[in-house]
Amino acid sequence: MHTALNTLRTTPILSVKTESPTVKTYTLKDKLCAKAKPGQFLMLWIPGVDEIPLSVMYAENDRVSVTVKAVGDATRHLHSMKPGETVGVRGPFGNCFTEASGKILMVGGGTGTAPLLFLARRLATKAQRLSFVVGAKTKTELLFLKELNAVCTEQGVITTTEDGTYGLQCLVTEPLGKLLAATKFDMVYTCGPELMVSKIFNLTEQHGISFEASLERLMRCGIGLCGSCVIGKYRVCRDGPVFNAAQLSEVKSELGISKLGFDGERIPV
Amino acid sequence: MHTALNTLRTTPILSVKTESPTVKTYTLKDKLCAKAKPGQFLMLWIPGVDEIPLSVMYAENDRVSVTVKAVGDATRHLHSMKPGETVGVRGPFGNCFTEASGKILMVGGGTGTAPLLFLARRLATKAQRLSFVVGAKTKTELLFLKELNAVCTEQGVITTTEDGTYGLQCLVTEPLGKLLAATKFDMVYTCGPELMVSKIFNLTEQHGISFEASLERLMRCGIGLCGSCVIGKYRVCRDGPVFNAAQLSEVKSELGISKLGFDGERIPV
Amino acid sequence: MSRNPLSTSFAGLKLRNPTALASGILGYTAESLQRVVEGGAGAVVTKSVGAAPRMGYANPTVVQANCGLVNAMGLPNPGIDEFVEEIAHAKIILQAPLIVSVFGYSAEEYALVAEKAVAAGAEALELNVSCPHVKQTGSEIGQNPRILAEVVAKVKGAVQVPVIVKLSPNVTDMAETARVAVKAGADALTAINTVKAMAIDVDTTLPVLSNTRGGLSGPAIKPIALRCVYDLYETVETPIIGCGGITTWKDAVEFFLAGAIAVQVGTAVALENPNVFHAINRGVKAYLKKKGYGSVKEIVGIAHRA
Amino acid sequence: MSRNPLSTSFAGLKLRNPTALASGILGYTAESLQRVVEGGAGAVVTKSVGAAPRMGYANPTVVQANCGLVNAMGLPNPGIDEFVEEIAHAKIILQAPLIVSVFGYSAEEYALVAEKAVAAGAEALELNVSCPHVKQTGSEIGQNPRILAEVVAKVKGAVQVPVIVKLSPNVTDMAETARVAVKAGADALTAINTVKAMAIDVDTTLPVLSNTRGGLSGPAIKPIALRCVYDLYETVETPIIGCGGITTWKDAVEFFLAGAIAVQVGTAVALENPNVFHAINRGVKAYLKKKGYGSVKEIVGIAHRA
Ligand SMILES: Cc1cc2nc3c(=O)[nH]c(=O)nc-3n(C[C@H](O)[C@H](O)[C@H](O)COP(=O)(O)OP(=O)(O)OC[C@H]3O[C@@H](n4cnc5c(N)ncnc54)[C@H](O)[C@@H]3O)c2cc1C
Ligand SMILES: Cc1cc2nc3c(=O)[nH]c(=O)nc-3n(C[C@H](O)[C@H](O)[C@H](O)COP(=O)(O)OP(=O)(O)OC[C@H]3O[C@@H](n4cnc5c(N)ncnc54)[C@H](O)[C@@H]3O)c2cc1C
Ligand SMILES: Cc1cc2nc3c(=O)[nH]c(=O)nc-3n(C[C@H](O)[C@H](O)[C@H](O)COP(=O)(O)O)c2cc1C
Ligand SMILES: Cc1cc2nc3c(=O)[nH]c(=O)nc-3n(C[C@H](O)[C@H](O)[C@H](O)COP(=O)(O)O)c2cc1C
Ligand code: FES
Ligand code: FES
C-alpha cells in the first residue's frame, strides 16, 4: 500500500446533489481518489463525527463523487453539510470489478447502485449488451434511472419497487430467474444488501454464470490491518470489496449470514 | 538531501592498491557513491573503529575508489584491511568542482591529489591546457605521477619534493608564482593542507584568476547538521567541500588559521 | 542435517519460524489468524480480549503518519465469553501456536480472562499491560510496578501455559518494568507496544483520532523498539520477543542480533500484506545461510559481543 | 495594521517569528548561528555547553533511520570558559535572541555554567535535562524529580534571564516532570529532546553508533512530540516550545494548534537546509492569512477546543 493513499487529505465539498429523499451525491476534489476504478471505495472523514467507507460513484479528472444514504449518525451529519464545508478523504482503497465484455447484467440495490453505475459507464461502449436491474422500496428511492437509461442497452433497465409505485412490484432479485434463463449473460455484477447479494450469487451459480459482487462490512482502518471487516479469510477492505464466485463459495458460511459487530462479536447480517 | 544517500551501506573491499609507503587506494562496490562527481566525498565506516570523510578519487559504473593516508587510528586500521573485508559507506556528500575549460592548473598536496586526479580525468579532453603541480615530502610519497602524466598536457606535470629526491626541491607552492605570471590560466584548482590552500588562494587573488579549493575540516555527521566542520558561515560538508574565491574571501579570518577541534573549541589549523 | 534453520522456541512454545502476528492485527477470527499462518507466521497473537465486550472508539481510529500509523482502536473486543468459541475454533484449524492476548481492569479480571482463554485452547497468553490509549488498563497497569507484579502473579497462579508480558515503551525505565514482570513469573517479554502519539489536522484544526490520543506503530518506531530489546537483553535472562516497525527481513535480523528470540509483526501486514511473514522468513533464511549460521538461535544477542 | 503576524513572545523573549534553531545543530559558532538566522530562524539555541570541555564520542555519531536520524554525539563542547567568547561574539552579530543551552553533572554545575553564559550575553537559557545518551547528566537529571527541581531552582536563583527547561519524552509521565520544572521556576518548557533508540548493522552484526545507544530525531518522532505538547498544554500554564520532527509549515502549525507558542527545528536543517526556517515561516504566514487569523498567537492550543 502506498502511504500517500492512506494519508488524510482535507478538501471542500464542491457540490451536493439530492438523488432521493434519503440519498445525496457529494462531489469532492481529490487527485488520488479521482483515479479510483469502479468498485473501489474511499474513507470519508466527517470532522468531529466519524469516518466511514463509501464506494466511488464517479471519478474524473481531479474529482470524485460518492452517493450516500442517510442511515445513522455519520451519514445524517453528512447530509446536513453544504458545498464549501470541509471533509477528509483517504483512499482509494480495495480492488475493483474486472471489466468484462459480452452480455452483461448488473443488479443494484439501494446505494449499491452507485459503484455499478460507475462500472456501467466504463463498460457501456465495450459491452455487447448491458442490462441493469435496479430496485428500491418505493419510487422516490430508485436511484440513477436517467443515468442508467443513458448507458444501458435499449430497454435494458428493469426497475422494481417493493410497494409497486414504479416498475415491477417485487424485490430486485425476482426478475433475475427469467432474465438469466432467457439470455446467456457473460457476467453478472452486483452490489447492495448482503441478503440480495447472496440470493443472486446462488442464482448465478445455478446458471453457471461468472459473477462479481461488492460486499460491505464494518470498516475501521480500511487498509487491511484491524480485522473489523473480515469475511472468512478475506479482508473486505483490502482483498475486496469485490469478490468473484470462487471466493464467495469459500465464505458461504458467512455470506448473508453473519459479520463482525463493533466489538468483534459475530452478529447476524 | 536524499535519505538514501545517508543510509549506511556495508560493502566488501574489492581491491587495495599501494600508492606509497603511507598511502593506499581502496576500491569498493557502491552504486550511489559510484555516481560521485569530482570534489565530493564519502563517509567510510571502519566497523568498530571510526567513520571518516574521504574524497572520491575515482568513480565508474558501480565502483568507487578512495585514496587514504595512514595518519591515525582509523586510517591505520583501514590500512590493515584486506580485500573481502567489510566497510560501510554513506554519501556521496557535498558539492563538486565546477568543470572549467580553457587553460587549467591544478595543485595537489598529499592525498589532496586524489580528488584532483578525478577532476583531471574528467577535464582532460575538454581543457585547452591542463597543468598539474604535485608535491610531497619525498619521492616515494609523490602520488599518481603516472596517472597525471597520462591525462595532463605534454610536460604539464611539475613535481616538487621537500627533500629534493625528485623534481624541484621546494614546496608545492613555489613554482606557482612563475607559472601564473607566464600563463594566463582560466582556473586554478587545489586540494591539500590548508596552509597550502591559503597560500595559493592569495597568489590567485593577486593574479585575478578563478580559483576553487577543496577544504578539510573535522567531520562527524557529513550532512550539515552537527556543526563540527564549519568555517565562517559555511558547513564544509554541505556547502563545500569545494569553495570558490568569493567564498574563501568571506572566511579569510579562519582559512589556514583556525578550525574547530573535537570539543568544538577553536584551535589552530 | 535437514534441520529447519528458522525453527525456534521460547518458554516451552515451539515455533516453525521466529515470526508471529502482533496483537490487534486481524486477530478477531480463527480464519483470519489462519490466513496469517498461511502467510508464513510461525505463531499468532489474538486481538486483546477482556472480561466484557467493548465497542472501541468511533472512527477515525487509525491515521497515517510519516513513517507509521497512529491508532486508537480502544480495545474493541467481544469479551472472553464470546471469544472462547473463536479460540476453540482457532485451536482446531490453526497450524501454529495460538497466543491469546488478555487485558483487564484488575488482576482478578486478567486472571479470569486468562483462565477462560486457556480452557478454550490458548497455548500461551500475552498480557497487554501496555496499550497507551485506554484508561485504567494497558499501560496504566504496566507503568505501576506494584499492580503489574500483582497481575502477572495472579495470572501465573491461574494458568499452566506460558505467560508473556507485553511491555510499554512509555516508561522512564523499561528495565525496571521488565524486572518486576520477570520476578512475578513472566515466562517471556514482548517489546514493544505502540508509543504515545497523536495527529492533528491543520485544516479543521482538530485532532484526527476520535480518541484524540493514540499510539505510534510502524517503521518510525523501529529504532526505539530495537533499543528496548537491546536494553532488556542486558537486563533479564527471560526470552524477549521483539516488536515494533518490523517490515523486512533486515529489520527482523536486527532484532535477533539485539537479543530477540522471535519477532512480532503488526503494521507491516497493512503496509505489505499477510504474506509479509513469508518474505521475512525467506530473507532471514538466506541471511543465515550467507553468514554460515545453522540456526536463527545462533544470532540472538550477538550484537552485544562488542 | 502592518503588524507582523508571525511575531511572538514568551517568557519575556520577543521573536520576529515562532521558529528557532534546536540545540546541537550548527550551534558551536556565532557565524553559523547567524547563518541560521539568515535562513529565517526567529531565535537560536546553542549547542549544549557544560563546565568543562568534552570531546564527545568517536564516529559514527549519526546514523540514518527510516524516517529520521539516530544520534549520539556525546555532548561535545568546548566548556563554558571557552564558549563565553563565542557567546559574546554571537551577541554582537546575531539579529535574533540568543538562547544558550546548558548542561551539567550537578545543580551547582548547571548554575555555574548558566551564570557565565548570561554574563557573556545569553538572553535566555535552555536547560538540557533530557539528552538520552550521556551518563549522569541530561535525561538522568530530567527523570529524577528531586534533582530536576534542584537544578531548575539553583539556576533560577543564579540568573535573571528566562530559563527554559527542555524535557525528555523518555519518561512515564511527562506531565509530572513538567509540573516539577514549573514549580521550581521554569519560565518555559521545550518538548521534546530525542527518543531513546539505536541502530544495528546486520552485515557486521554491530551497533552502528560508537556509543551503541542514541536518540531518534526527525519526522519519525513528530507524532510523539505533538502528543507531548498537547498533553503539556493541558497540564501547565507555562509557555511550551514544540520540538521534534518539524520539517514543514504544516508540522509547525500542528504544534501551534497543540499548544506550542514557538517551535524548534533540528534535523530538518540537514534534511532540507538552513533556509528551512524561511520556508516554514512562509507557509505559516500563508496559512494564517487563508484561515483569517491576524497572528500566530491566535492559533496556539485551539486543537483543544473539541
Ligand atoms: C466498502 C463499503 C462501501 C460503502 N459504500 C456506500 C455508499 O456508496 N453509499 C452509502 O450510503 N453507504 C455505503 N456504505 C455503507 C456506509 O459506510 C454506512 O452506511 C455508514 O458507515 C453508516 O454510518 P452512520 O454513522 O450513518 O450509521 P450508523 O448509525 O453508524 O450505522 C448504520 C448502519 O451502517 C453500518 N455502518 C456503520 N459504520 C460503518 C462502517 N464504518 N463501515 C461499514 N458499515 C458501517 C452499521 O452496520 C449500521 O447497520 C459502504 C460500506 C462499505 C463497507
Ligand atoms: C572532505 C574531506 C575529505 C578527505 N579526504 C581524504 C582523502 O581523500 N584521503 C585521506 O587520506 N584523508 C582525507 N581526509 C582526511 C581524513 O578524513 C583524516 O585523515 C582521517 O579522518 C584521520 O583519521 P584517523 O583516525 O586515522 O586520524 P586521527 O588520529 O583521528 O587524526 C589524525 C588527523 O586527522 C584529522 N581527522 C580525524 N578525524 C577526522 C574527521 N572525522 N574528519 C576530518 N578530519 C579528521 C584530525 O584533525 C587529525 O589531525 C579528508 C577529510 C575531509 C574533511
Ligand atoms: C491497529 C492496531 C491495533 C492494535 N491493537 C493491539 C491490541 O489489541 N493489543 C496489543 O497488545 N497491542 C495492540 N497493538 C500494538 C501492536 O501489537 C504492536 O505492539 C505495535 O503496533 C508495534 O508493532 P508494529 O510496528 O509491527 O505494528 C495494535 C496496533 C495497531 C496498529
Ligand atoms: C545531531 C544532534 C545533536 C543534538 N544535540 C543536542 C544538544 O546538544 N542539546 C540538546 O538539548 N539537544 C540536542 N539535540 C536534540 C535536538 O535539539 C532536538 O530536541 C531533537 O533532535 C528533536 O528535534 P528534531 O526532530 O527537529 O531534530 C540534538 C539532536 C541532534 C540530531
Ligand atoms: S477495515 Fe480494518 S482490516 Fe478492513
Ligand atoms: S560534519 Fe556535521 S555539519 Fe558538517
Side-chain angles (χ1 to χ4, degrees):
Chain A
M1 188 200 55
H2 277 284
T3 57
L5 297 183
N6 195 39
T7 302
L8 183 70
R9 287 95 59 183
T10 50
T11 187
I13 295 170
L14 292 179
S15 65
V16 183
K17 191 178 159 216
T18 299
E19 307 283 3
S20 87
T22 60
V23 176
K24 292 184 181 180
T25 293
Y26 293 81
T27 299
L28 316 167
K29 191 167 160 175
D30 184 65
K31 279 199 188 126
L32 290 172
C33 285
K35 295 220 172 70
K37 292 184 186 143
Q40 287 195 292
F41 68 96
L42 54 77
M43 295 296 297
L44 189 85
W45 180 41
I46 303 148
V49 180
D50 203 345
E51 185 192 41
I52 60 172
L54 294 168
S55 295
V56 172
M57 188 276 276
Y58 197 65
E60 201 181 38
N61 299 327
D62 58 356
R63 283 158 192 228
V64 64
S65 301
V66 289
T67 298
V68 189
K69 187 179 171 89
V71 299
D73 239 36
T75 47
R76 269 200 294 270
H77 197 278
L78 184 60
H79 269 236
S80 75
M81 290 179 81
K82 310 217 155 25
E85 289 190 72
T86 297
V87 293
V89 285
R90 32 185 198 112
F93 294 127
N95 65 358
C96 53
F97 292 107
T98 59
E99 303 199 356
S101 51
K103 296 183 192 144
I104 289 168
L105 176 65
M106 299 187 184
V107 190
T111 54
T113 309
L116 293 177
L117 171 62
F118 189 20
L119 179 66
R121 282 172 160 157
R122 288 277 165 100
L123 298 187
T125 53
K126 296 190 214 166
Q128 186 190 334
R129 175 172 162 179
L130 181 55
S131 299
F132 208 114
V133 188
V134 56
K137 286 235 163 68
T138 184
K139 182 183 171 188
T140 53
E141 289 298 345
L142 278 167
L143 295 176
F144 303 123
L145 283 190
K146 216 179 74 198
E147 290 84 350
L148 290 173
N149 275 305
V151 292
C152 288
T153 317
E154 218 177 312
Q155 303 190 329
V157 181
I158 297 166
T159 49
T160 68
T161 52
E162 292 177 30
D163 64 2
T165 45
Y166 193 86
L168 307 173
Q169 176 169 14
C170 59
L171 290 174
V172 71
T173 43
E174 270 211 25
L176 294 181
K178 258 198 215 152
L179 266 172
L180 295 179
T183 310
K184 176 88 190 92
F185 282 99
D186 293 293
M187 174 67 95
V188 176
Y189 297 105
T190 192
C191 181
E194 202 164 306
L195 284 166
M196 175 194 107
V197 170
S198 141
K199 263 194 208 160
I200 304 172
F201 173 45
N202 291 333
L203 277 169
T204 57
E205 249 193 340
Q206 283 159 28
H207 287 83
I209 302 172
S210 296
F211 179 64
E212 284 184 2
S214 172
L215 301 184
E216 292 188 5
R217 278 281 184 285
L218 168 65
M219 284 186 185
R220 283 190 177 102
C221 71
I223 56 171
L225 186 69
C226 70
S228 305
C229 69
V230 294
I231 179 165
K233 70 175 185 183
Y234 294 112
R235 299 165 297 175
V236 172
C237 70
R238 184 83 178 254
D239 306 315
V242 177
F243 294 94
N244 62 28
Q247 294 172 309
L248 293 171
S249 301
E250 296 176 81
V251 298
K252 263 195 179 156
S253 63
E254 294 184 39
L255 186 71
I257 298 166
S258 73
K259 61 176 184 177
L260 299 186
F262 279 104
D263 59 1
E265 188 187 345
R266 288 187 196 261
I267 56 174
V269 162
Chain B
M1 187 200 56
H2 277 285
T3 57
L5 295 183
N6 195 38
T7 301
L8 182 70
R9 287 95 60 185
T10 50
T11 188
I13 296 170
L14 292 179
S15 65
V16 183
K17 191 178 160 217
T18 299
E19 307 283 3
S20 87
T22 61
V23 176
K24 292 183 181 182
T25 292
Y26 293 81
T27 300
L28 315 167
K29 192 168 161 174
D30 184 65
K31 280 199 187 124
L32 291 173
C33 284
K35 295 218 173 69
K37 291 183 188 144
Q40 288 195 291
F41 68 95
L42 54 78
M43 294 297 296
L44 189 86
W45 181 41
I46 303 148
V49 180
D50 203 344
E51 185 192 41
I52 60 171
L54 293 168
S55 296
V56 172
M57 187 275 277
Y58 197 64
E60 201 182 36
N61 299 325
D62 58 356
R63 287 165 188 218
V64 63
S65 301
V66 289
T67 298
V68 189
K69 185 176 170 95
V71 299
D73 238 36
T75 47
R76 268 200 295 269
H77 197 279
L78 183 61
H79 269 235
S80 75
M81 290 178 82
K82 307 218 157 24
E85 288 191 72
T86 297
V87 292
V89 284
R90 39 189 192 107
F93 294 126
N95 64 357
C96 53
F97 292 105
T98 58
E99 302 198 357
S101 51
K103 296 184 193 142
I104 289 168
L105 176 64
M106 300 187 184
V107 189
T111 55
T113 308
L116 293 178
L117 170 61
F118 189 18
L119 177 66
R121 282 171 162 158
R122 288 276 167 99
L123 298 187
T125 53
K126 297 191 214 167
Q128 185 189 333
R129 175 171 164 180
L130 181 55
S131 298
F132 208 114
V133 187
V134 54
K137 287 233 164 67
T138 183
K139 180 182 173 186
T140 54
E141 290 298 345
L142 277 169
L143 295 176
F144 303 123
L145 282 192
K146 217 177 72 198
E147 291 82 351
L148 290 172
N149 275 305
V151 292
C152 288
T153 317
E154 216 176 315
Q155 302 190 331
V157 182
I158 296 167
T159 50
T160 68
T161 51
E162 293 179 30
D163 64 1
T165 45
Y166 194 86
L168 308 173
Q169 177 168 12
C170 59
L171 288 175
V172 71
T173 43
E174 271 210 27
L176 293 180
K178 257 196 219 156
L179 265 172
L180 295 179
T183 310
K184 175 93 189 93
F185 283 99
D186 293 290
M187 174 68 95
V188 175
Y189 298 106
T190 191
C191 181
E194 202 164 306
L195 284 168
M196 173 192 107
V197 170
S198 144
K199 263 194 209 163
I200 303 172
F201 172 47
N202 291 335
L203 276 171
T204 55
E205 250 192 339
Q206 284 159 28
H207 288 83
I209 302 172
S210 296
F211 179 63
E212 285 184 1
S214 172
L215 299 186
E216 293 188 6
R217 277 281 181 284
L218 170 64
M219 285 187 184
R220 284 189 175 104
C221 71
I223 56 172
L225 186 69
C226 70
S228 305
C229 67
V230 294
I231 179 165
K233 69 176 187 182
Y234 295 112
R235 300 165 297 175
V236 172
C237 69
R238 185 83 176 256
D239 306 314
V242 177
F243 294 93
N244 61 30
Q247 294 171 309
L248 293 171
S249 301
E250 297 176 82
V251 298
K252 263 195 179 159
S253 64
E254 294 184 39
L255 186 70
I257 298 167
S258 72
K259 60 176 186 178
L260 299 185
F262 280 102
D263 58 3
E265 187 186 346
R266 289 187 195 261
I267 55 174
V269 161
Chain C
M1 293 296 84
S2 68
R3 272 196 314 125
N4 168 8
L6 292 178
S7 72
T8 192
S9 61
F10 57 87
L13 286 181
K14 283 189 199 333
L15 275 68
R16 198 179 317 135
N17 70 62
T19 65
L21 176 70
S23 178
I25 282 80
L26 296 181
Y28 291 109
T29 69
E31 290 95 334
S32 43
L33 292 171
Q34 174 55 18
R35 169 71 188 86
V36 172
V37 172
E38 282 163 19
V44 293
V45 185
T46 67
K47 177 75 194 166
S48 294
V49 58
R54 262 183 73 94
M55 303 288 266
Y57 304 130
N59 252 16
T61 47
V62 178
V63 50
Q64 181 76 45
N66 252 313
C67 234
L69 300 170
V70 187
N71 93 81
M73 309 303 298
L75 292 175
N77 82 97
I80 188 65
D81 293 332
E82 267 291 319
F83 202 62
V84 286
E85 284 178 39
E86 214 60 48
I87 296 173
H89 184 194
K91 186 70 213 263
I92 295 166
I93 68 168
L94 274 194
Q95 285 142 21
L98 171 66
I99 302 166
V100 174
S101 173
V102 165
F103 77 94
Y105 296 90
S106 65
E108 288 67 30
E109 253 183 47
Y110 272 95
L112 180 94
V113 177
E115 260 179 306
K116 290 183 180 177
V118 171
E123 281 152 88
L125 299 174
E126 183 175 86
L127 306 186
N128 178 350
V129 291
S130 44
C131 172
H133 49 69
V134 177
K135 291 216 164 15
Q136 296 178 310
T137 181
S139 56
E140 294 194 19
I141 304 265
Q143 286 165 353
N144 184 320
R146 195 184 48 76
I147 304 183
L148 175 63
E150 197 190 327
V151 165
V152 177
K154 201 125 210 162
V155 172
K156 277 297 287 180
V159 300
Q160 301 296 323
V161 303
V163 173
I164 306 162
V165 175
K166 185 167 179 182
L167 301 176
S168 167
N170 305 298
V171 293
T172 307
D173 186 4
M174 184 185 267
E176 161 75 2
T177 327
R179 269 189 227 104
V180 168
V182 169
K183 207 172 150 214
D187 300 297
L189 302 172
T190 299
I192 58 174
N193 209 315
T194 55
V195 183
K196 294 203 288 185
M198 78 179 293
I200 292 176
D201 170 60
V202 299
D203 196 1
T204 58
T205 75
L206 291 172
V208 179
L209 294 173
S210 77
N211 185 57
T212 302
R213 296 160 170 93
L216 181 64
S217 66
I221 66 170
K222 196 198 71 179
I224 302 172
L226 192 65
R227 175 164 174 180
C228 289
V229 168
Y230 192 92
D231 286 347
L232 287 181
Y233 191 79
E234 297 194 342
T235 308
V236 294
E237 307 267 304
T238 316
I240 302 156
I241 304 162
C243 179
I246 296 165
T247 312
T248 67
W249 68 264
K250 257 194 184 164
D251 297 330
V253 168
E254 288 171 31
F255 278 83
F256 300 139
L257 299 173
I261 184 80
V263 294
Q264 291 182 4
V265 178
T267 300
V269 172
L271 294 183
E272 307 287 325
N273 62 55
N275 296 331
V276 66
F277 298 93
H278 276 313
I280 290 173
N281 284 322
R282 260 196 310 274
V284 174
K285 201 165 160 180
Y287 172 86
L288 293 173
K289 194 169 167 199
K290 187 177 155 206
K291 291 281 176 186
Y293 293 108
S295 160
V296 67
K297 286 178 254 177
E298 292 170 32
I299 66 170
V300 173
I302 64 172
H304 292 263
R305 68 149 188 260
Chain D
M1 291 298 86
S2 69
R3 273 197 312 126
N4 169 7
L6 293 178
S7 73
T8 193
S9 62
F10 58 86
L13 285 182
K14 286 191 199 330
L15 275 67
R16 197 178 319 137
N17 69 62
T19 65
L21 176 70
S23 177
I25 284 79
L26 297 180
Y28 291 109
T29 68
E31 290 94 335
S32 41
L33 292 171
Q34 175 55 17
R35 169 71 189 85
V36 172
V37 172
E38 283 163 19
V44 292
V45 186
T46 67
K47 177 75 194 168
S48 294
V49 59
R54 262 183 72 94
M55 302 288 266
Y57 303 129
N59 251 15
T61 46
V62 177
V63 49
Q64 180 76 45
N66 251 313
C67 235
L69 300 171
V70 187
N71 93 80
M73 310 303 297
L75 292 176
N77 82 94
I80 188 64
D81 293 331
E82 267 293 316
F83 202 61
V84 286
E85 283 178 41
E86 214 61 46
I87 296 173
H89 184 193
K91 187 69 213 271
I92 295 165
I93 67 168
L94 274 194
Q95 287 142 19
L98 171 66
I99 303 166
V100 174
S101 173
V102 164
F103 77 94
Y105 296 90
S106 65
E108 287 68 29
E109 252 185 46
Y110 272 94
L112 179 92
V113 177
E115 261 180 306
K116 292 184 178 177
V118 172
E123 281 152 87
L125 299 174
E126 184 177 86
L127 306 186
N128 178 352
V129 291
S130 44
C131 172
H133 49 71
V134 176
K135 291 216 168 15
Q136 298 178 311
T137 181
S139 56
E140 294 192 20
I141 305 264
Q143 286 164 354
N144 186 319
R146 194 185 48 76
I147 303 182
L148 174 63
E150 197 190 326
V151 165
V152 177
K154 201 123 211 162
V155 172
K156 278 295 291 180
V159 299
Q160 302 297 324
V161 303
V163 173
I164 306 162
V165 175
K166 182 165 180 184
L167 300 175
S168 166
N170 305 299
V171 292
T172 306
D173 186 4
M174 186 187 268
E176 161 75 3
T177 327
R179 269 188 228 103
V180 169
V182 169
K183 208 174 148 213
D187 299 296
L189 302 171
T190 298
I192 57 177
N193 210 314
T194 55
V195 184
K196 293 202 289 184
M198 77 178 293
I200 293 177
D201 170 60
V202 299
D203 196 1
T204 58
T205 76
L206 290 173
V208 179
L209 293 173
S210 77
N211 185 55
T212 301
R213 296 160 169 93
L216 182 63
S217 65
I221 67 170
K222 194 199 72 179
I224 301 171
L226 192 65
R227 175 164 174 180
C228 289
V229 169
Y230 192 92
D231 286 348
L232 287 181
Y233 190 78
E234 298 193 343
T235 307
V236 294
E237 308 268 305
T238 315
I240 303 156
I241 303 161
C243 179
I246 296 165
T247 312
T248 66
W249 68 265
K250 257 195 185 165
D251 297 331
V253 168
E254 290 172 31
F255 278 83
F256 300 140
L257 298 173
I261 185 80
V263 294
Q264 290 182 3
V265 178
T267 301
V269 172
L271 294 182
E272 309 287 326
N273 61 58
N275 295 331
V276 67
F277 298 93
H278 276 314
I280 290 173
N281 285 323
R282 261 197 309 274
V284 173
K285 200 165 163 182
Y287 172 86
L288 294 173
K289 193 169 169 198
K290 189 178 154 203
K291 293 279 174 189
Y293 292 107
S295 161
V296 66
K297 286 177 250 173
E298 292 171 33
I299 67 170
V300 173
I302 64 172
H304 293 261
R305 66 149 189 261

